[in-house]
Amino acid sequence: MDKYQVLKQYFGYDKFREGQELLIDSILSGRDVLGIMPTGAGKSLCYQIPALMMEGITLVISPLISLMKDQVASLRQAGVSAAYLNSSLSSAQYFTALDNARAGRYPIIYVAPERLTTESFLDFAVHAKIAMVAVDEAHCVSQWGQDFRPSYLKIVDFIHRLPYRPVVSAFTATATQAVRDDVADILMLQDPTVLTTGFDRPNLYFAVYSLKDKYGAVRNYLDCHPGENGIIYCLTRKTVEEVCGRLQRDGYSATRYHAGLDDGERQKNQDDFIYDRKRIIVATNAFGMGIDKSDVRFVLHYNMPKNMESYYQEAGRAGRDGEPAECILYYGGQDVITNQLFIENNRDNEELDEAARQAVLERDRERLKKMTYYCFSNECLRDYILRYFGEYGDNYCGNCGNCLSQFETVDVTEYARGLIGCVGECRQRYGINVIIDTVRGANNAKIRQYRMNENSWYGCLSTVPAHRLRQVFNHLLVNDYLSLSSDEYTVVRLTERSGEVLDGSLSVLMKLAREREEEPKTKKKPARRAVGFGDVDEGLFERLRQLRSEIAKEERVPPYMVFSDKSLTHMCAARPQSKAEMMEISGVGEFKYKKYGERFLQAING
């Protein structure tokens, strides 16, 4: 079979997505590749299709057990023999899998990086024909990436011990230029085809809200999106417990996930979410890497993550099927403090020398600053994300909270001069709250203790609401009129641009919402739309989803592995009446049609 036949027969697609064909052709020609593709762009097909066409075994190195299980289950559902080798297997299961691999039963084997240098696996590998080593979540190899894993450094040693060098392919979803370069160097890729397809996910809606009642906002959102699957991310285990407990008491189908639970409960709760027994999972960032659940319709961040890489990776777990999904971040000032504590007390980099550790620490502080700026930017949120990863757009996407708000440009030079002047006169010694309290003329103990009531800018902006001054302050930070120190105590510093505002040679303009609401309005869930197919019959979609759930229970697989939401919505729009028409549906391949096609045709005709 050629690559197009493999794509259709096993995976049910008629054409490749952007970038896939170039990477597949490069691998088939024997060339190394590095693919940077956003979540949901189809990275796994880039190594799975060549693996089914090459002579020999493809080893996929993957960081998490859950990722391997998910990928192997999906391949088996598509009619592909695959296996995984990790610590979840008993000794007997592990050696049975190795024997089957030696017998050539698996074209694709997923393996944990820790297994690579064990005696039993090396004995298998050096006597097997390894055609390709595919490194998934390749950013884990770089200490500059957000998920550095020292075990990934064993990959190169393993490749060197093979009798001949296989093709090496590496894939990741979120990587800055520095991380991309690091991945290519550390994995010693040879003249690789390097492809970045772009980080944009047009189907995702982004919004940020600063709220007093976060839980109330979450409840409001869930009530407007009944029956949908979603993830709620929290910064700490304690917050996970609180939010999940309240949701369960209020009657929502919710479960929890964090590193403080025992392995058995974590696995059960994850399975409950993946198999649709629970609609909502409340989790720390310990949950999610490699989870291929395609029908997650929303990701809510109850707290701000520590950097843009983590945020975009977590938010990207929504809408992997290409259907519309929402990513909403509920921001609070305490989130910054909590993240600062995590950064300062990070124990992951203790193996580094002091100079490298300080460099990583400074990098993490800078990343937190950029993440914070995202939360109070009035510019297009999608454009902010893309610029962070080195891409540039039009600063208007039409599908984020800022683009859909009405803004007006306001001259805030007077406010800026007051804030900057106050910072200068106190010799850059205090934080944001002290500066704002001073210009507003507050008479509290801290102001008197610091003698800021003697500052000549004291009370100069007494009629301006505190929230407006904080908005202006954030604008000054984002645009480098002021900066924050990275010391143990964060204080406000002047920049080169500060003097230009004070001497009147530079005006400060900013966009402000005309009627900025503190909380989002309650809005009903919109009618379901299939991307590219228009509106679909909601009743038929629910009938097909019910059939999918029945089949999933019979076969003990997650529902999305039967067919994705995108496949179901395409069925609703096209209403196929025959096998030929059903085979035109996105995601319906020969193997899946034989298993499920007739039952879905009956449901559609019924």
Side-chain angles (χ1 to χ4, degrees):
M1 289 190 291
D2 64 22
K3 61 188 175 185
Y4 300 106
Q5 292 170 320
V6 173
L7 178 69
K8 182 59 182 175
Q9 176 162 331
Y10 292 106
F11 304 103
Y13 301 118
D14 295 310
K15 58 184 180 180
F16 289 102
R17 297 184 189 178
E18 180 187 359
Q20 287 180 327
E21 198 164 5
L22 173 62
L23 295 174
I24 289 169
D25 287 345
S26 295
I27 291 171
L28 290 174
S29 71
R31 189 173 176 185
D32 290 354
V33 304
L34 172 57
I36 298 94
M37 306 165 75
T39 303
K43 291 186 294 297
S44 57
L45 288 187
C46 294
Y47 56 80
Q48 289 172 350
I49 287 177
L52 296 177
M53 299 175 65
M54 301 166 81
E55 289 187 19
I57 297 169
T58 289
L59 297 178
V60 183
I61 299 170
S62 188
L64 292 179
I65 291 172
S66 56
L67 184 152
M68 298 185 213
K69 288 183 175 179
D70 200 73
Q71 292 275 358
V72 169
S74 293
L75 286 168
R76 289 175 178 171
Q77 279 296 108
V80 177
S81 295
Y84 56 80
L85 301 171
N86 57 43
S87 60
S88 71
L89 301 177
S90 67
S91 179
Q93 289 173 323
Y94 177 77
F95 285 106
T96 298
L98 275 184
D99 289 341
N100 289 335
R102 288 190 183 95
R105 296 183 185 177
Y106 307 127
I108 303 175
I109 299 174
Y110 285 76
V111 60
E114 293 83 3
R115 291 272 162 178
L116 295 176
T117 52
T118 61
E119 184 177 343
S120 58
F121 187 79
L122 271 173
D123 180 67
F124 154 72
V126 297
H127 293 98
K129 185 172 184 179
I130 307 299
M132 174 168 58
V133 171
V135 183
D136 204 4
E137 308 291 349
H139 62 274
C140 293
V141 80
S142 170
Q143 72 178 34
W144 305 111
Q146 74 273 20
D147 291 305
F148 173 56
R149 292 172 184 256
S151 59
Y152 260 55
L153 299 176
K154 299 177 181 179
I155 295 172
V156 174
D157 291 338
F158 167 74
I159 293 172
H160 284 159
R161 297 180 72 171
L162 296 176
Y164 58 89
R165 187 182 185 278
V167 175
V168 180
S169 58
F171 301 90
T172 183
T174 52
T176 59
Q177 185 62 53
V179 173
R180 293 174 223 172
D181 294 342
D182 219 18
V183 169
D185 290 342
I186 293 172
L187 292 179
M188 301 179 70
L189 300 182
Q190 297 180 2
D191 186 30
T193 297
V194 180
L195 177 72
T196 301
T197 59
F199 291 92
D200 192 13
R201 300 276 305 283
N203 62 311
L204 300 185
Y205 168 86
F206 293 95
V208 178
Y209 298 106
S210 180
L211 307 172
K212 293 179 181 177
D213 181 12
K214 289 185 179 182
Y215 181 76
V218 168
R219 276 203 56 177
N220 172 57
Y221 184 90
L222 298 179
D223 289 344
C224 295
H225 297 77
E228 293 190 347
N229 297 318
I231 304 170
I232 302 174
Y233 278 109
C234 304
L235 265 183
T236 65
R237 301 175 188 179
K238 179 181 178 183
T239 309
V240 168
E241 294 289 344
E242 290 173 354
V243 173
C244 185
R246 291 181 72 178
L247 287 175
Q248 290 173 338
R249 288 192 294 273
D250 289 339
Y252 295 94
S253 176
T255 188
R256 60 184 180 165
Y257 190 103
H258 59 71
L261 304 176
D262 63 62
D263 292 345
E265 183 177 354
R266 274 205 310 275
Q267 188 61 53
K268 176 187 179 300
N269 294 350
Q270 177 173 292
D271 287 348
D272 283 347
F273 178 65
I274 289 175
Y275 285 80
D276 284 357
R277 294 190 288 266
K278 297 290 185 181
R279 290 292 183 190
I280 303 157
I281 189 161
V282 187
T284 61
N285 62 3
F287 174 80
M289 183 186 286
I291 299 301
D292 197 27
K293 186 172 173 63
S294 62
D295 58 350
V296 174
R297 299 269 63 89
F298 62 85
V299 171
L300 309 182
H301 276 82
Y302 203 81
N303 308 104
M304 180 191 76
K306 63 182 178 180
N307 54 53
M308 289 300 303
E309 288 91 342
S310 297
Y311 175 67
Y312 202 46
Q313 187 178 62
E314 291 162 10
R317 285 163 192 148
R320 292 174 64 106
D321 53 8
E323 293 292 280
E326 298 190 341
C327 309
I328 297 175
L329 195 163
Y330 300 112
Y331 168 77
Q334 183 61 39
D335 299 340
V336 179
I337 297 171
T338 304
N339 277 307
Q340 285 174 334
L341 290 173
F342 285 159
I343 289 170
E344 301 302 326
N345 294 287
N346 183 13
R347 296 289 177 264
D348 294 341
N349 300 308
E350 290 186 336
E351 296 178 13
L352 303 176
D353 60 52
E354 183 59 23
R357 200 182 74 81
Q358 287 301 321
V360 171
L361 194 61
E362 185 60 32
R363 176 211 64 188
D364 289 345
R365 290 167 178 158
E366 185 63 25
R367 284 178 172 176
L368 175 59
K369 191 185 299 183
K370 296 284 180 63
M371 184 72 241
T372 307
Y373 291 169
Y374 172 83
C375 293
F376 48 66
S377 172
N378 286 338
E379 304 298 320
C380 171
L381 296 175
R382 187 183 312 279
D383 189 60
Y384 185 100
I385 294 170
L386 295 180
R387 278 188 284 115
Y388 182 87
F389 289 109
E391 296 180 11
Y392 296 90
D394 300 329
N395 199 28
Y396 179 83
C397 70
N399 192 29
C400 77
N402 285 356
C403 285
L404 297 178
S405 296
Q406 292 203 352
F407 288 94
E408 57 185 349
T409 300
V410 178
D411 188 327
V412 294
T413 306
E414 180 187 350
Y415 303 162
R417 288 186 73 245
L419 293 167
I420 292 172
C422 183
V423 172
E425 189 166 322
C426 72
R427 292 180 290 178
Q428 307 173 69
R429 289 185 295 174
Y430 303 116
I432 295 175
N433 291 336
V434 171
I435 301 301
I436 290 178
D437 282 351
T438 299
V439 298
R440 293 196 73 236
N443 184 26
N444 55 45
K446 187 171 286 188
I447 292 295
R448 294 192 298 271
Q449 176 188 345
Y450 297 158
R451 300 178 67 175
M452 289 296 283
N453 51 346
E454 299 174 14
N455 189 295
S456 64
W457 299 91
Y458 178 77
C460 67
L461 300 174
S462 59
T463 61
V464 184
H467 77 275
R468 177 53 52 87
L469 287 178
R470 194 166 289 278
Q471 287 177 321
V472 174
F473 215 122
N474 292 337
H475 180 75
L476 297 178
L477 291 170
V478 170
N479 292 280
D480 203 33
Y481 295 105
L482 289 171
S483 67
L484 296 177
S485 72
S486 298
D487 304 328
E488 182 178 357
Y489 300 102
T490 302
V491 299
V492 185
R493 303 285 195 197
L494 299 177
T495 69
E496 292 181 4
R497 304 187 76 187
S498 303
E500 297 177 59
V501 177
L502 276 180
D503 65 20
S505 61
L506 186 65
S507 296
V508 181
L509 305 177
M510 69 177 289
K511 288 165 60 177
L512 289 172
R514 287 176 183 165
E515 294 184 10
R516 185 79 172 189
E517 297 184 33
E518 188 181 33
E519 297 188 23
K521 284 184 177 179
T522 300
K523 61 177 183 178
K524 293 183 179 179
K525 184 177 78 170
R528 172 169 291 278
R529 296 183 64 86
V531 173
F533 306 127
D535 293 328
V536 300
D537 184 330
E538 194 75 34
L540 176 57
F541 176 82
E542 289 302 322
R543 289 200 298 276
L544 296 184
R545 191 159 75 161
Q546 181 60 39
L547 173 59
R548 181 178 66 178
S549 295
E550 292 171 7
I551 293 173
K553 288 178 182 176
E554 292 168 10
E555 300 201 354
R556 297 182 180 180
V557 298
Y560 66 86
M561 285 187 185
V562 177
F563 286 124
S564 68
D565 276 8
K566 185 171 187 175
S567 295
L568 298 190
T569 50
H570 193 179
M571 290 179 198
C572 292
R575 293 180 179 264
Q577 301 296 308
S578 65
K579 175 182 177 179
E581 292 178 1
M582 180 63 91
M583 291 293 289
E584 295 296 316
I585 299 298
S586 174
V588 181
E590 189 70 40
F591 189 80
K592 283 195 174 182
Y593 180 82
K594 288 178 181 177
K595 293 181 74 175
Y596 315 125
E598 289 298 329
R599 294 176 68 175
F600 277 88
L601 282 175
Q602 290 172 14
I604 293 167
N605 293 331

